[in-house]
């Protein structure tokens, strides 16, 4: 959960960037390209999910 408005805005900006990247691929109407991009985006999200927490809290 986000701790503050700045952190929450960071999450929203990440989501907007994801949507923009997917929209760029969708413009080509190539379903395989969209599937590849979705797989890549999933990998990016999972990488963030499984990061170890910071050593010290702020």
């Amino acid at each position: 959960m986000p701790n503050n408005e700045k952190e929450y805005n960071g999450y929203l900006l990440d989501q907007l960037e994801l949507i923009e990247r997917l929209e760029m691929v969708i413009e080509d109407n190539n379903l395989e390209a969209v599937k590849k991009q979705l797989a890549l985006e999933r990998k990016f999200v999972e990488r963030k999910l499984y990061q170890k927490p910071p050593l010290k809290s702020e």
Side-chain angles (χ1 to χ4, degrees):
M1 289 245 106
N3 293 328
N4 57 41
E5 186 176 346
K6 185 176 180 180
E7 187 176 352
Y8 185 67
N9 283 340
Y11 291 133
L12 293 176
L13 287 171
D14 285 345
Q15 291 174 348
L16 282 174
E17 289 173 359
L18 168 65
I19 292 168
E20 289 170 357
R21 289 190 298 267
L22 291 172
E23 285 174 341
M24 287 180 359
V25 177
I26 289 171
E27 287 177 1
D28 296 335
N29 293 323
N30 182 347
L31 188 56
E32 284 304 312
V34 173
K35 287 180 181 180
K36 286 180 183 179
Q37 187 68 30
L38 281 169
L40 181 63
E41 298 299 339
R42 176 183 293 278
K43 186 185 295 185
F44 292 158
V45 170
E46 287 174 348
R47 186 179 301 151
K48 289 178 183 178
L49 273 177
Y50 300 121
Q51 284 182 354
K52 293 181 182 177
L55 296 175
K56 61 180 182 175
S57 60
E58 296 178 21

